[in-house]
Amino acid sequence: MKIELKKGTPVAVKKLVFNLLDVFVAVGIPIDNTDRKLERMAKACLAVGQIKKHFTEALSSDDGRFLKSREVLAFENKHHGERIADSSYDDIRRQDLKLLVEAGVVVNSSSTVEQATNNHSRGYALSPAFATLLRNYGTDNWNNALVGFTAEVQSLKEELERRRNLQKVPVTLPDGKTINLTYGEHNELQKAIIESFLPIYGFGAKVLYVGDTADKFLYLERESLERLNFFVLEHEELPDVVAYSTEKNLLYLIEAYHSTGEWSEVRVRKVKRKLKESGCTANVVSFTAFENKNVFKQKAKDIAWETEVWIAETPEHLIHFNGYKFLELHKQ
């Protein structure tokens, strides 16, 4: 397969990219994408295997060397003719390697070490079976290696599914229902929001929506939200947890902060505009939840006025980013 590659790509690397795309086709990886995205995916795969000139160099997770996103980016820049900005390192995880991980071509350290799916410190390596397949490319043993890879991928997917099921985070909703979140610090904080925050400050609130790192619409009470004229759920500003108190007519929009997601001034304005357009009938209060004070201090300057903060390590207290309305509480 031939595509138009980025100018400056060394001839040897071009050959590697074209051959790797042929391998992708052989193992069933979709390649119906733009030339640039296919090139980025191929070069990221080469970098993960630490391949510079030939497939025989391919290393795998069996070699114990996992590359982090920034290291993959640096490898591409040094050996594959790229000039990707360091600030784009997260594109490696979210775009270039995403399909390869799903296909079993690339594994990450969370496959062998219990880590959150959105942990930025995790590393990537070629699966042993795919590294073997690459090393046999163009040899008489290619067909045997291809059969071996296909069988290994099926086994790997079954094992990873079993591990994911074991690592679920059970959460009990206020009405007694149980949902299971995927393992991770972000979802542990969501569990604290539902099981600790709402019983204290929720005025009998019912959970109407919970997003998960693996399933954005894990729990959804669509009809209840529609009765409140809540805006379309596909909107990008949807928070992690939505709950509603009939007693106070309060709609809680709660974000579990983990590296991103605080209620900033810009985000609050967007959501208020959407709610006004949809004719929402509830009184809305926006909360940013933090795991501890240290994390909160890092983002305090970005929190919007007229919103609230809850810190899981001190669950009985709130921080109000408001004006004079609470000063009456301090009268002697």
Side-chain angles (χ1 to χ4, degrees):
M1 177 183 180
K2 298 292 183 181
I3 62 173
E4 188 69 29
L5 299 184
K6 179 181 178 294
K7 291 183 179 180
T9 300
V11 174
V13 175
K14 287 183 178 180
K15 183 178 180 181
L16 285 173
V17 169
F18 294 141
N19 289 342
L20 187 55
L21 291 175
D22 288 339
V23 176
F24 287 168
V25 172
V27 300
I29 295 176
I31 55 172
D32 53 342
N33 215 322
T34 65
D35 287 1
R36 181 55 180 159
K37 287 185 177 180
L38 290 175
E39 179 182 11
R40 285 286 300 264
M41 182 170 67
K43 287 182 175 179
C45 185
L46 293 171
V48 165
Q50 299 178 64
I51 301 169
K52 303 173 186 175
K53 297 180 180 180
H54 198 276
F55 286 162
T56 56
E57 302 171 319
L59 299 178
S60 75
S61 58
D62 280 352
D63 298 296
R65 182 71 174 98
F66 290 83
L67 296 187
K68 297 178 182 178
S69 298
R70 292 183 187 276
E71 294 173 318
V72 172
L73 187 153
F75 193 98
E76 291 185 51
N77 286 345
K78 183 176 181 180
H79 300 290
H80 297 157
E82 289 292 338
R83 293 183 179 179
I84 305 170
D86 186 64
S87 58
S88 300
Y89 74 93
D90 211 33
D91 289 342
I92 300 294
R93 173 177 65 90
R94 294 184 175 181
Q95 299 179 30
D96 302 343
L97 293 178
K98 183 177 181 180
L99 184 59
L100 300 180
V101 171
E102 292 178 359
V105 166
V106 172
V107 296
N108 57 61
S109 54
S110 63
S111 300
T112 54
V113 178
E114 190 172 281
Q115 292 185 5
T117 56
N118 60 354
N119 186 336
H120 295 282
S121 67
R122 65 182 181 171
Y124 298 90
L126 294 183
S127 71
F130 190 75
T132 299
L133 182 65
L134 288 184
R135 289 192 288 266
N136 282 280
Y137 181 78
T139 71
D140 294 338
N141 196 45
W142 164 255
N143 288 332
N144 290 334
L146 184 57
V147 171
F149 172 77
T150 302
E152 179 69 22
V153 165
Q154 183 60 36
S155 176
L156 175 65
K157 287 182 178 179
E158 292 174 355
E159 173 64 15
L160 291 180
E161 184 62 30
R162 185 185 69 83
R163 291 189 184 188
R164 280 193 287 267
N165 289 334
L166 288 175
Q167 293 175 359
K168 294 293 185 181
V169 179
V171 178
T172 302
L173 302 181
D175 61 4
K177 294 179 182 177
T178 299
I179 61 175
N180 291 303
L181 301 173
T182 53
Y183 173 83
E185 294 177 4
H186 179 269
N187 286 344
E188 289 284 356
L189 184 53
Q190 285 183 258
K191 177 181 174 71
I193 290 169
I194 294 169
E195 296 184 349
S196 297
F197 168 79
L198 287 179
I200 300 174
Y201 301 106
F203 298 101
K206 179 182 179 181
V207 173
L208 303 184
Y209 166 81
V210 180
D212 182 66
T213 50
D215 182 359
K216 190 63 178 173
F217 301 102
L218 175 68
Y219 183 81
L220 174 63
E221 294 280 353
R222 185 180 295 275
E223 291 183 2
S224 297
L225 287 166
E226 288 177 349
R227 283 196 295 270
L228 295 171
N229 293 327
F230 193 71
F231 59 77
V232 179
L233 287 171
E234 285 71 21
H235 192 269
E236 63 181 359
E237 300 304 331
L238 189 66
D240 293 313
V241 178
V242 177
Y244 176 67
S245 167
T246 303
E247 176 186 341
K248 297 290 185 179
N249 191 30
L250 282 177
L251 186 65
Y252 294 79
L253 306 184
I254 313 169
E255 188 69 36
Y257 179 85
H258 185 72
S259 74
T260 59
E262 75 282 355
W263 282 105
S264 65
E265 295 285 355
V266 172
R267 188 180 182 196
V268 168
R269 282 199 292 269
K270 286 182 179 179
V271 170
K272 283 184 176 180
R273 184 176 67 251
K274 289 290 293 184
L275 289 171
K276 183 177 180 180
E277 291 171 354
S278 65
C280 182
T281 58
N283 298 312
V284 178
V285 58
S286 301
F287 277 86
T288 305
F290 293 91
E291 180 182 359
N292 54 57
K293 289 182 179 179
N294 287 335
V295 179
F296 162 65
K297 286 191 292 185
Q298 296 171 18
K299 296 301 297 184
K301 63 180 177 59
D302 299 317
I303 301 296
W305 293 112
E306 309 304 325
T307 68
E308 312 290 330
V309 167
W310 180 74
I311 300 175
E313 69 175 359
T314 53
E316 296 84 8
H317 301 280
L318 297 178
I319 300 174
H320 305 283
F321 276 72
N322 296 81
Y324 60 84
K325 62 185 290 187
F326 291 102
L327 294 180
E328 292 293 315
L329 296 174
H330 299 279
K331 282 186 175 181
Q332 299 297 323

